[in-house]
Amino acid sequence: MVAQLELNKERLSKYKSLAVAFSYPEGSFFDFFPEASGEKVGLIREYDRLFRAKDIWLYGTEYMSEHEFQRSNYLADISGFYKAFGVEVDCERPDALKAELEFMHYLIFKEINAPVREKAEICLDAQKKFFTEHLAPAAKAIAQKIVSAAENPFYKNAASELIDFLSQEEEFFNAK
């Protein structure tokens, strides 16, 4: 039980770290990554180049859907997950990588703090389903594009960490 709690705390921290890493590099970004504060101008320039000037979308459905109807279904399903757990997204789209990573962080937090085992299991089941159906396939595609296009080591490393972490999470969920 203690080992599971420690593992969940590590997972919780990693999801938060990755969510911040793929947010715009300003304000709380540098509170979380103070070692990068000297690179602020370069990180903003690289973020704009990768995610605003290039065609690397930080929205999962851009990689998972073949047409607008399918995209709408994915967005509705993601929104349904958020609504079921009382989460309101502060991003412009529910499929934003940052929002999906933060949602996994929230589900783990809810699992850790669940008052009864049944509620913890509901949170774990939701994690597995959300991860498998939405986060993992989209995040892998996004991260692979970033690794191949990034010039700044921060984004290349963050994307590589995301790919490695997704693999660890797949193993975690397959063991459950």
Side-chain angles (χ1 to χ4, degrees), residues 27-93:
S28 63
F29 178 96
F30 294 103
D31 293 339
F32 207 86
F33 298 107
E35 69 281 1
S37 61
E39 298 180 59
K40 184 174 185 174
V41 172
L43 287 172
I44 289 172
R45 190 172 296 130
E46 179 74 342
Y47 186 95
D48 290 343
R49 185 185 72 79
L50 287 171
F51 309 122
R52 293 182 173 167
K54 287 220 176 232
D55 56 343
I56 298 177
W57 293 91
L58 290 175
Y59 305 108
T61 59
E62 298 300 325
Y63 301 91
M64 296 176 57
S65 49
E66 296 175 18
H67 49 76
E68 191 61 36
F69 181 72
Q70 193 176 33
R71 181 177 297 118
S72 295
N73 284 340
Y74 279 127
L75 289 171
D77 194 42
I78 293 167
S79 294
F81 271 99
Y82 296 160
K83 188 174 183 179
F85 286 88
V87 172
E88 289 189 33
V89 179
D90 66 352
C91 297
E92 64 274 11
R93 287 176 48 173

